[in-house]
Each structure stands twice: as structure tokens, then as C-alpha cells.
Amino acid sequence: MWTSIKHFEKPASLEEAYTLIVPGKKVPFSGGSYLTAEQSGEIDTLIAIRHLLDDRIKMNGKILTIGTGATLQSLVKYDWSRSPLRLAECACLSCPSRNIRNQRTLGGEIGRQRTNSELFVHLKALDVNLEVIGASSQTMSIREWDGQGIINALRIDMTAVKKTFCQRFALIPSAPAVVIVEGVLNKQRLDVVVGGAASVLSLSSITDMGFPEETLAQVAAQAAVRFKTDQYGSRAYKEHLIRTGLARIVAEC
Amino acid sequence: MKYIGKKTHRLDGFALSRGRPVFTDDLHLPHMLYLKVLRSPHAHARIKSIDTTAAANIDGIVSILTWKDFPRHYFTSAGQGYPEPSPRDMLILDQTVRFVGDRVAVIAAESLEIAQAALERIQVEYELLPAILDPKASIANPTVIHPETGPVDIYAADRNIAAYFQSELGDVDRGFKESALILEGEYSTPYVQQAHLEPHITLTWLDANGRLVIRSSTQVPFHVRRIVSELLVIPVGQIQVIKPRIGGGFGGKQEILNEELCAAVTLKTGRPARIEMTREEEFYAARSRHPEIIKLKIGVDAEGLFRAVDLNILENCGAYAPHALTVMSVTAQKALSLYRCPNIRVEAQAVYTNLPIAGAYRGYGTPQGIFALEVLMDEIANELNIDPIDLRLRNCQEVGDEIPIAKVLGEGSEGFPIVLHSTGLKDCLEEGRRSVQWQEARQEVKTGPIRRGIGVAAAGHGTGIPGIDMGSAFLKMNEDASFNLLVGATDLGTGSDTALAQIAAEVLEVPVEKIVVYSSDTDFTPFDTGAYASSTTYISGGAVKKAAEKVKEQIFSQGKKLLGVDQAVIRDGFVEADSGERISYAEICTRSMYTDDQMQIMATASHMSYDSPPPFNATFAEVSVDTETGLVQVERIVSVTDAGQIINPPMAEGQVEGAIPQALGMALCEHMIFDEQGAPINTDFTGYHIYTAADMPEIVVKFHEGHEPTGPYGAKAVAEIPISAPAPAVVNAIYNACGVRIRKLPIQPEDILRGLAQLS
């Protein structure tokens, strides 16, 4: 029962779908697992886009392209054995229920911009490119995306990814992580994204590959500002977890 | 025995596995009204005015009821035997709201959507009152949560004390003087939720004769009938309560939570009505486990034998007090009866706060008390350098021991003397010790950031409420030698219908498939107090056994008459004379019905008990502690239970396997939390973390082969006993792993880090 829904639009193209969006009132609907769980009373129109989205995972040379209509479960099933990416693992951690993974799309997961989504944090750390349908179609870094428009696909330049790391701290495995520390190592630097029970994600690049202690402490302190004291512990405890996660990632580097 | 102790298919398994319409919500009636409840956004407020005009003007709104529509008749929502031992401090709808989620109005509409829309149109003007959110601040608080004169049996309303008791056996002060070691501590347990899969749901309608029918997911259909009768002033005989299959209860459905509202709408409108709580409502408007702060002091001699125990309980019952007195009396009784001690003292008080209402939850106070006791036991063992298992073995009760506290603390009043007729606790501890290779595990060298540890805890419980719980059964025979077993006992997903069928089958010497069970319909089944207090197998099973024995005697008697002999035996579904001539059960029944000495072979029986034999459990937890983060992972749980004769092993294992994740949740991750205004924060399973399949450690379930002489075929209870010991076992394992002692649940990783910092 979602009592506020009065209209259901089925546009012929993503461009048309974009023109129909009125934020918070008329919204795109692909998998719908977030929207139907929340059932916001402000939303009166659903704009169906699932039929317009590519759901394929393709490797073209060194460029990986994933259609945002791909479900999280399809990421789990894909063979990533020769890839440093951890999309399958992150999809499971972000969404422990297989039933919901079968429904939830990659685009929906990115669009939600959830700070405690391991998948979103991973993609941020990878600095993937998004193909965004908006006032004009354009490709941009996920780090620059402002949340506007409809994401059609994402691309990852595999030559830029040497190794990826994740340190995740949760009370129990199926619970949302209190702190997520994601690292992506390439030739010149270690990109670190910190998420979890944070208000926004924190992004840092460590270029001194000797990983000095003071640099790690600084990264942790900056990231910890995004956390508050709550039922999982004090802000200082979160900072400690971030610092621990960084130390473990550095040890793996 | 042929059927007792054997694996048997669940009687309801076929329908459940095929998705047959067996649950409350599977029935949809024409012209049914859908109900929604408007709930208070404030923790404590007086309703100055309610304007329902705008809501009532919405098309499809049929009725809106507010406090003005009900007489001020105080009751308790606790589904307990009459007279209820809980304070009568609640109205159906009241002009004062006492927690965020308290009921303000109920809307009946043609659809759920319309009811939902109307909720937002009701205008309520509140006069905000000071709220009490801290139980420690409740007693001396100038704010009184129940200042009215109408409530009954509140211990001291002016001091916000809902219930109180104190008692002393022996000479506690002298016992402490004689002690070689005295240790004490404060232990606290949180608000936790039953989290049953099926929410509370009720349907009501009037039958062809104008009688009220209530179809409800309840553990206590007969109490529902009695309390609705009282509240809505209609005779019990004009009410039928039907309990279909239930998707879990764990005590949360030992409550009259919606039935009276739904029935009131049906009586007012003449139309069927339906109310279902959302998951969010389940968190703040249903019931939860009582949080308790326990101060425990134990004195022991040099050998570790108990000399004196002093127990102080502060229980937070929330805004109203269903089960408040009895839960904390169980806390005291179970904590003070697990080990021998000549001198014991207890003082307990349940206080009101402006927080959600606590109630019955599997274990019913025992997990709170056992947590304090068993952690302090570990502290004593450590202090005396005695192995924790050995310390427990030295203090265990023995067969023939009296449990003096049981006589003092009954169900809200004086209880009954209980003597132990069976105990397998020592065997459970020894079996667990062997199973986990205790010595080797305890002495494992602790190095590196991840430290492994092992801990043990013991627990005892009860089997039914002595002198209170009563079950009854009606058994009749059919021409094909099948039997209809009608019981008031309430199978809430535990499989108790199957266990009762096994007991009948064992007596009658027929396959379980020949027993057709119909349970929990107040029109058609005899009375039963309900499914709580781990009573069904023992109490209702006792009634079934008696009824089956009577029926068997009738079969035997009729068989001998039909054979024309005085001496015979029953064998393989036949009555057989010494000559070898025999007559089948089916023929005996058919001829008894139609041709010879005509009668219906049938019997009824009731059963109650002044005994409540304790089942026992020893739980061993193996954990790893990340000393860099404070995070704890439970690696393995070994649970050894003495539940007497196990009636159905797979179902009993299921009880243990189901209790352990609930216990681990309370230990590590479950905790209802509230903001500074008393509003709940975590009202879904994203914010409130229950153990899922992905989180489960390895579980080893073992049963001690025991026999309780007062139980049917030697059975004791199994439903609640496994839930109490895992939490203290985990806490004790953490101590073994890293030396940090935790006394507050849920365990906060940051507290472990603080403890480690202090150690270093």
C-alpha cells in the first residue's frame, strides 16, 4: 500500500524520463526496493525506467562498462575472478538479502548515495565514470556527480586499478557497517574513501607511498568529523576504527 | 516408547510448506473495515482537544473512536490468569498519553489507504508534560506518571513504583560475615524486541447469531475472551476467539493488544474489522523485554560455596505495567534458585517511565537475572582461582533439595514449595566441558590482535506456573480408529500440537497420524491458560495424557465386552483375548457407535500442577575479540539442556537453535534506543540488528537424557531455558579472551577497548 501514488508514467526514452522528474514528487523507478520500503507520502508519480536501462556487464579492451539496470544480484553472479574489483562482495554487504538484490539495480544503489553502502563507497574509491542523462548527456566522475539526472551506465578504466582494499566494522556481519574504509591502490597513490554511519563520505588521496603515521592520522581525523557519537560509540571511537582500518590497508599494500 | 522421543513430521508442516491459508491474515471478509491507530508523538502529554472533523469527512471513513467513546475502566493488557497479578493501570483510550506511540484514536475505514490518509487529518492539541526516561530517576521524581485515582494495584503510584517486593530467607548479614570472599556488581540489560515474523493482527466480525468472533494471532485466546468481555461489557458466552497458525510470539502475543479495539469497531458498526501492526509499531507500540538494573552481592566460603546472596532489582516497565511484578519475581526466583544458598535476600521494584511498555518475552525475567548471576559467578571463580565449571558444580542443587524462594515468590503472591525431583545440570556442565575441550580452550595462549576465549554459564527455568496454569483436553474416537484431540493449548509455531499428538499416540498405541488435533478455539476446545511459561508440554500434555488414558480404558472395556471376556490385552491396535481372538480399535468404535452397547468413546481431562520442575542448561561460548576494534565474533555455541524426556527431538533442537540468536542479539547487537524526547530511533531491521542466518555461529545442541517424574512421560519444558545462558557465556568468554569484564548489555565494543586500555 503506497497511498500517495496517483500516477505511473512509462516514458519512451531516458531523456523523456528526465524531463518528467520533479524531485521528491515525481521520481524515477527502476528496482524500487528503496522507494517501496520508504513509501514517501510526498511522492505522487512513479516514472518507470527499468525498461530503458541497459543491464549488461561488458569488458571492452581495458574498459569495464556496467549498465545501471543490472541488479545487485547480477553483480554477485558475474565472474570477477581475474579482477581486483570487489563488486560482488560489496553488493552482498550492501544488501544482505538475495531477494532484494534481485530487485535492486546498480543505478538505484548509486542514486541513493548511501554512506553505509559498501558498493557505493567502493565505486567512489574506484572513481568510476558515470554516463548521466540530464539536461544534456555527459560522462563524469562519480566523485563530481551532484545526484542530478539519470545514470545510464558506469565505466571503469581497469588500467587505473592495481589493487583494492576494504576494512569494514559492524556489530554483526549482516548489520550496516559503523565504519567502512575503502582503499584503491594505483601506481601513484592510494585513494581512500571512508563511509559507514557518516553524514557524508570522506575522500583522501595518499601520495606518499611510505604511508607516514601522521598522514594516516590526519586522514582519520578528517574523516571522523563526518561521524557523531551514537549507539555504536563515540566519535573518538569511530576515528579509532578509521585509523585501524587504514593501518590494516597499509599493511596489505 | 514408540512415539515419544522420536522424530515426527509436524502436523501443520504440510499446510505451512504449501502456503495454505492458515494465518489470521489469510481470511478476507466482505465489507471488512481497516483500522489504523493514531499514536502519540509525545512521551508524556495531556490531550486538550481532538478534532476529527476533517478526517471524518474523507470518503470511506466509517468510524473514529477517541478516549471520549470509552468508559474509564482500568485493565491490564497482560494475558495472565484471573485475577491478573499486574496492575490495572490502562484504559482502552485515555486522555493522557504516556509514551511515544501511546494510542490516541482509532480509525475504521473502507480501505487501509483511506484510514492512513485520515490519520493525518486528525487535529490533536496536546499539553506537554515532563517525561521521565531514566528508571533511576523515576522514584524520586516530582512527575507522577499515573496520578489518577482509578488504577488498581499500583504499588506506589505517587512514587512511580508499579510493583515491589522484598524478602529474606535465613540471615543474610550473618552469611556475609561468615564469607571468605564477597563480590558485588551492577549489571544491566536492555530493551529488546521479540521480533516475531508475523506482526500482531486481529480480525473481528459478528456471526449469523450476532455473536462476536475474534480471529487473532494470540498466545492467550481464553484470556482474550475474558478481557474483551470485561472491557466491552458483553457476556463471555457471546464471544468466540479463534487462534489460527501463528508466525511467532515469544511472549509478545501474551497480551491483549488490539483485540478490544477491533471488537469495539465491529460492535459499533456491525461490520467485520481488521487491525494489523506495522513493523515500526511493533517496535514501539507492542511489547519488549523489561530492561533491568541488577545489583548483586554474593558471599562464598573459601571453597566457593555460597553463604549469602543479596539481590536488588530495578525494573523499567515503561509507561504501563503489564507483567511488571511477575517478570521481576521470575528474575529473582530463577537467580536465587539455581545454586544452594542458606541466606538470601531480595528487594525488587518496577518503576514507570515514559518509554514503551515492556511485557512478556521468552525467558520472562530469567535472562536478566541469570546474566547478573552467571557473570558474577565467573568473577568469583576468577578471584578464588577455581575453575568456573567446578565452582558451579560445587553449588548445584541436588535431587531432593527444596527451593525455598519458590514458596515466597509465586505468580504475584506467595508461591508453592518446590522440591527438585530431577536435575541434570551437573551432567550438562560435564557434557559441555568434554564437548568443547574446556581445559585446552581455556589455556590457549592469547597473542596477536585477535584473541580467542571460551566461557560458560548455567541457567534454570520453570515448567509452567505452579498452582496457576491449567490445561484441558477432549479426545473422541472415530470409526477408522482415528481420534480428534481438542485442546485449548496454543501452538504459536513451536510444534506443540505435534507434541501433544505424540503423547496421545503413545498412550493409545496408535500412529501419530491417527491423532487429529484442533487447538485454541474458545467455542470448540476446552480451556487452557495459554502458551506461556513453558507450560504446554507439561501442563496441557498432562491433560492430554489423562484424557487418552481414559479413552484407552473405554476402548479396552468395550473391546472385552465385544469379545465376551474378562481378561485381555491391548496390542497393535487390537484388544486381544487370552485365546488369541481379537478385535480392532476400528471395529470397537464402529460397533460402539452403531450396534453394541452404544456410546461415543470419548473423554475429557484437566491438568494443573503445584510443581514446576526446573529444566537446566549449560551454555559454552567460544568468541574471538578484535583487540584493536573491540568487536566480538561468536565462533561457536555449545548448548546442553536438561529438559527431562524430550518428546520430539528435532522440534526441541529447533527451540534451542531459535533461542540462541535471540540471546546473542541481546548480548551483542540488539538494543531499542530513544532520543532525548523519548522517541524511538531504531524502528526497523536496518537500525535494530537481529541475528540472521549470515551471522550465526556454529551451534551444537545436546540434550541430557533425563526423566522428570511429575511430567508426562518424564518431560520438562524446553522453550525458554536455552535463552538465558548464552549472553553471560559470551561475556565470560570475552573475559577469558582479553581480560575485560563486561557488566552491561549489549556489549559495546568501545567498552572493551576502554577495558583493554585500563588493563594496559
Side-chain angles (χ1 to χ4, degrees):
Chain A
M1 181 199 68
W2 190 353
T3 57
S4 66
I5 297 301
K6 306 294 181 217
H7 308 286
F8 189 80
E9 306 280 0
K10 195 169 182 185
S13 66
L14 288 175
E15 287 75 10
E16 182 192 348
Y18 174 73
T19 64
L20 297 172
I21 294 172
V22 177
K25 196 168 171 61
K26 302 174 192 288
V27 297
F29 187 92
S30 54
S33 60
Y34 282 116
L35 290 170
T36 52
E38 292 167 356
Q39 299 191 4
S40 163
E42 303 300 311
I43 297 172
D44 64 16
T45 302
L46 298 177
I47 305 162
I49 59 169
R50 183 73 173 268
H51 63 293
L52 303 171
L53 294 172
D54 189 357
D55 62 1
R56 288 171 295 180
I57 303 172
K58 295 178 290 190
M59 199 72 193
N60 188 1
K62 291 291 184 185
I63 303 295
L64 174 70
T65 303
I66 308 176
T68 50
T71 64
L72 300 197
Q73 184 60 17
S74 68
L75 296 181
V76 174
K77 287 160 72 178
Y78 189 80
D79 179 10
W80 301 101
S81 56
R82 285 184 293 173
S83 164
L85 305 184
R86 297 177 15 269
L87 294 172
E89 177 193 346
C90 287
C92 287
L93 290 169
S94 302
C95 183
S97 160
R98 182 186 295 199
N99 287 341
I100 298 175
R101 285 201 303 271
N102 273 319
Q103 192 72 18
R104 185 168 293 170
T105 60
L106 178 59
E109 188 68 3
I110 296 171
R112 179 62 40 163
Q113 297 184 292
R114 197 158 55 88
T115 58
N116 61 0
S117 162
E118 284 79 0
L119 187 57
F120 184 62
V121 175
H122 187 49
L123 295 173
K124 275 269 193 179
L126 288 167
D127 194 16
V128 302
N129 281 317
L130 303 180
E131 186 181 305
V132 181
I133 310 295
S136 62
S137 296
Q138 55 181 319
T139 301
M140 65 178 69
S141 160
I142 192 172
R143 296 177 187 174
E144 293 164 2
W145 182 54
D146 61 0
Q148 300 299 308
I150 299 171
I151 309 163
N152 188 35
L154 64 80
R155 294 197 181 84
I156 304 171
D157 178 359
M158 298 302 294
T159 60
V161 183
K162 191 174 162 190
K163 205 170 176 185
T164 64
F165 312 90
C166 177
Q167 287 292 319
R168 174 184 192 274
F169 304 109
L171 290 178
I172 51 174
S174 70
V178 178
V179 165
I180 305 165
V181 185
E182 276 277 344
V184 172
L185 183 68
N186 61 31
K187 285 173 187 168
Q188 291 86 30
R189 63 179 197 272
L190 175 69
D191 281 354
V192 174
V193 175
V194 177
S199 53
V200 294
L201 298 182
S202 160
L203 169 66
S204 308
S205 288
I206 301 173
T207 52
D208 184 342
M209 301 305 268
F211 303 117
E213 284 290 322
E214 57 271 27
T215 303
L216 299 180
Q218 195 177 12
V219 169
Q222 284 172 356
V225 173
R226 313 294 190 186
F227 290 81
K228 61 181 182 183
T229 296
D230 58 17
Q231 68 269 31
Y232 304 115
S234 66
R235 178 182 286 170
Y237 174 63
K238 315 289 173 40
E239 184 174 341
H240 174 81
L241 289 181
I242 298 165
R243 185 70 187 80
T244 304
L246 280 171
R248 290 178 179 180
I249 286 175
V250 165
E252 284 184 64
C253 285
Chain B
M1 289 184 285
K2 204 167 180 180
Y3 304 108
I4 300 295
K6 303 294 189 298
K7 180 180 178 181
T8 305
H9 290 303
R10 283 179 63 128
L11 299 183
D12 53 358
F14 181 88
L16 290 171
S17 63
R18 283 160 179 77
R20 296 286 162 82
V22 294
F23 293 98
T24 301
D25 199 29
D26 288 326
L27 181 65
H28 288 267
L29 297 161
H31 311 298
M32 188 156 67
L33 295 172
Y34 294 81
L35 273 54
K36 289 296 288 183
V37 174
L38 179 68
R39 299 191 180 277
S40 169
H42 304 295
H44 198 190
R46 186 169 175 79
I47 297 168
K48 290 171 74 176
S49 66
I50 301 183
D51 184 353
T52 61
T53 312
N57 284 339
I58 295 175
D59 275 352
I61 292 296
V62 175
S63 177
I64 300 176
L65 302 174
T66 70
W67 66 273
K68 297 171 187 168
D69 296 295
F70 293 97
R72 293 184 67 79
H73 181 88
Y74 284 92
F75 74 108
T76 174
S77 61
Q80 298 176 292
Y82 181 84
E84 307 93 343
S86 297
R88 288 170 159 251
D89 55 8
M90 187 180 288
L91 298 172
I92 296 178
L93 293 174
D94 196 354
Q95 195 177 2
T96 300
V97 288
R98 296 178 176 83
F99 68 100
V100 175
D102 208 350
R103 305 194 297 199
V104 173
V106 61
I107 296 167
E110 299 289 353
S111 73
L112 209 49
E113 292 84 349
I114 295 169
Q116 183 71 41
L119 278 183
E120 294 153 20
R121 301 276 190 91
I122 297 179
Q123 301 293 318
V124 186
E125 190 181 356
Y126 294 98
E127 174 195 349
L128 297 187
L129 302 171
I132 303 171
L133 306 179
D134 177 1
K136 285 184 172 175
S138 183
I139 293 172
N141 206 293
T143 296
V144 175
I145 294 175
H146 291 276
E148 304 83 5
T149 54
V152 179
D153 289 339
I154 296 177
Y155 179 77
D158 57 335
R159 289 184 289 146
N160 293 316
I161 303 175
Y164 177 89
F165 61 79
Q166 62 171 353
S167 185
E168 180 168 350
L169 297 172
D171 186 338
V172 171
D173 292 333
R174 188 174 156 191
F176 281 124
K177 281 181 190 158
E178 293 169 354
S179 297
L181 173 71
I182 300 170
L183 286 186
E184 59 188 312
E186 181 176 297
Y187 305 84
S188 68
T189 57
Y191 260 115
V192 288
Q193 236 284 317
Q194 294 89 345
H196 32 72
L197 191 60
E198 179 199 37
H200 288 84
I201 179 164
T202 298
L203 271 58
T204 54
W205 67 91
L206 299 177
D207 72 10
N209 298 312
R211 293 174 75 237
L212 176 66
V213 184
I214 301 173
R215 177 179 163 101
S216 191
S217 180
T218 177
Q219 295 174 224
V220 285
F222 286 91
H223 297 333
V224 167
R225 183 178 67 168
R226 185 189 81 240
I227 294 172
V228 169
S229 161
E230 175 191 314
L231 288 175
L232 302 181
V233 198
I234 50 175
V236 162
Q238 289 299 307
I239 303 172
Q240 178 187 10
V241 180
I242 302 166
K243 181 230 56 118
R245 304 318 301 168
I246 297 184
F250 311 116
K253 293 173 182 171
Q254 194 196 336
E255 205 78 8
I256 284 64
L257 211 54
N258 299 304
E259 288 89 347
E260 84 285 18
L261 274 183
C262 209
V265 168
T266 286
L267 291 174
K268 183 183 176 193
T269 63
R271 293 177 59 177
R274 172 192 184 277
I275 187 167
E276 178 185 9
M277 294 179 88
T278 63
R279 180 58 63 188
E280 186 180 7
E281 287 175 312
E282 287 289 338
F283 273 103
Y284 60 79
R287 301 293 181 259
S288 57
R289 191 181 297 291
H290 289 83
E292 290 185 5
I293 299 168
I294 294 175
K295 290 178 182 169
L296 181 61
K297 181 175 172 183
I298 297 178
V300 295
D301 66 17
E303 301 302 311
L305 295 174
F306 277 34
R307 298 302 309 154
V309 179
D310 192 356
L311 173 67
N312 182 285
I313 302 168
L314 178 65
E315 179 190 80
N316 178 1
C317 62
Y320 303 90
H323 303 277
L325 172 61
T326 40
V327 161
M328 69 180 181
S329 102
V330 170
T331 299
Q333 205 215 80
K334 303 315 173 197
L336 295 174
S337 63
L338 186 59
Y339 302 116
R340 286 173 162 170
C341 184
N343 309 298
I344 55 179
R345 181 163 60 208
V346 59
E347 181 178 25
Q349 48 197 347
V351 297
Y352 289 112
T353 58
N354 294 109
L355 288 169
I357 310 165
Y361 180 7
R362 194 178 200 174
Y364 204 78
T366 309
Q368 296 97 311
I370 290 293
F371 171 65
L373 175 68
E374 287 300 279
V375 174
L376 189 52
M377 279 295 275
D378 209 58
E379 296 180 54
I380 294 168
N382 185 58
E383 199 69 29
L384 292 176
N385 200 24
I386 297 175
D387 182 285
I389 296 175
D390 292 338
L391 180 66
R392 288 171 171 84
L393 290 171
R394 290 177 195 184
N395 285 287
C396 274
Q397 305 269 9
E398 302 279 2
V399 170
D401 280 2
E402 284 186 33
I403 301 177
I405 194 70
K407 187 172 185 316
V408 178
L409 295 180
E411 178 79 345
S413 58
E414 195 170 311
F416 299 91
I418 287 182
V419 174
L420 271 189
H421 301 294
S422 68
T423 169
L425 181 55
K426 286 186 173 180
D427 297 303
C428 292
L429 286 161
E430 293 290 10
E431 174 58 35
R433 182 185 342 227
R434 283 191 295 275
S435 185
V436 300
Q437 297 183 301
W438 174 255
Q439 288 302 339
E440 295 86 334
R442 290 281 291 180
Q443 289 161 7
E444 186 180 294
V445 178
K446 321 291 183 190
T447 57
I450 308 296
R451 306 276 172 86
R452 285 170 50 80
I454 188 166
V456 64
H461 201 73
T463 302
I465 305 169
I468 301 272
D469 282 346
M470 194 277 274
S472 46
F474 171 62
L475 190 66
K476 70 182 178 70
M477 189 177 191
N478 303 315
E479 298 96 313
D480 62 349
S482 66
F483 298 83
N484 293 110
L485 174 61
L486 278 61
V487 287
T490 307
D491 188 332
L492 57 146
T494 57
S496 64
D497 283 356
T498 306
L500 298 179
Q502 286 177 265
I503 291 171
E506 188 69 42
V507 173
L508 294 165
E509 301 182 43
V510 299
V512 177
E513 295 73 33
K514 288 285 189 184
I515 310 295
V516 182
V517 180
Y518 183 68
S519 61
S520 294
D521 179 328
T522 58
D523 267 14
F524 297 107
T525 64
F527 177 80
D528 195 289
T529 41
Y532 55 86
S534 294
S535 64
T536 302
T537 299
Y538 186 75
I539 296 292
S540 309
V544 169
K545 187 163 181 282
K546 284 180 185 173
E549 285 165 349
K550 290 180 184 176
V551 164
K552 187 179 182 182
E553 181 53 41
Q554 291 174 29
I555 294 169
F556 192 42
S557 174
Q558 288 292 93
K560 285 191 289 186
K561 280 185 200 168
L562 292 169
L563 289 170
V565 298
D566 292 329
Q567 299 292 324
V569 293
I570 286 180
R571 183 177 296 143
D572 298 329
F574 289 83
V575 174
E576 187 175 306
D578 292 344
S579 64
E581 186 185 3
R582 62 183 194 166
I583 182 169
S584 72
Y585 274 21
E587 188 177 350
I588 293 168
C589 182
T590 304
R591 289 173 64 179
S592 296
M593 279 182 170
Y594 295 107
T595 57
D596 296 81
D597 195 16
Q598 284 171 269
M599 64 173 286
Q600 165 71 63
I601 295 176
M602 62 179 178
T604 60
S606 301
H607 186 69
M608 60 85 67
S609 175
Y610 291 102
D611 278 303
S612 176
F616 293 100
N617 172 268
T619 295
F620 295 75
E622 295 174 28
V623 306
S624 58
V625 181
D626 184 335
T627 57
E628 292 178 345
T629 65
L631 290 165
V632 176
Q633 184 165 340
V634 180
E635 307 281 359
R636 188 160 82 125
I637 294 286
V638 176
S639 178
V640 193
T641 300
D642 162 32
Q645 168 66 51
I646 299 299
I647 301 292
N648 187 311
M651 292 196 315
E653 286 170 20
Q655 289 284 356
V656 179
E657 290 167 354
I660 288 169
Q662 291 180 312
L664 295 181
M666 184 172 87
L668 290 164
C669 52
E670 292 190 36
H671 188 192
M672 290 164 61
I673 51 175
F674 309 93
D675 68 15
E676 290 171 355
Q677 280 71 50
I681 290 173
N682 50 348
T683 57
D684 60 27
F685 290 129
T686 301
Y688 184 91
H689 314 305
I690 60 170
Y691 259 67
T692 68
D695 307 300
M696 289 301 289
E698 178 190 352
I699 292 180
V700 178
V701 177
K702 291 172 179 273
F703 290 104
H704 162 72
E705 290 182 12
H707 182 89
E708 167 56 39
T710 67
Y713 292 106
K716 292 192 281 190
V718 71
E720 295 178 274
I721 179 64
I723 202 169
S724 295
V730 166
V731 164
N732 295 339
I734 290 170
Y735 182 80
N736 176 246
C738 66
V740 174
R741 178 64 68 193
I742 298 293
R743 297 186 182 86
K744 180 183 178 191
L745 299 180
I747 297 160
Q748 297 285 315
E750 191 172 10
D751 287 344
I752 293 180
L753 286 190
R754 282 197 197 100
L756 287 167
Q758 285 170 4
L759 288 174
S760 64

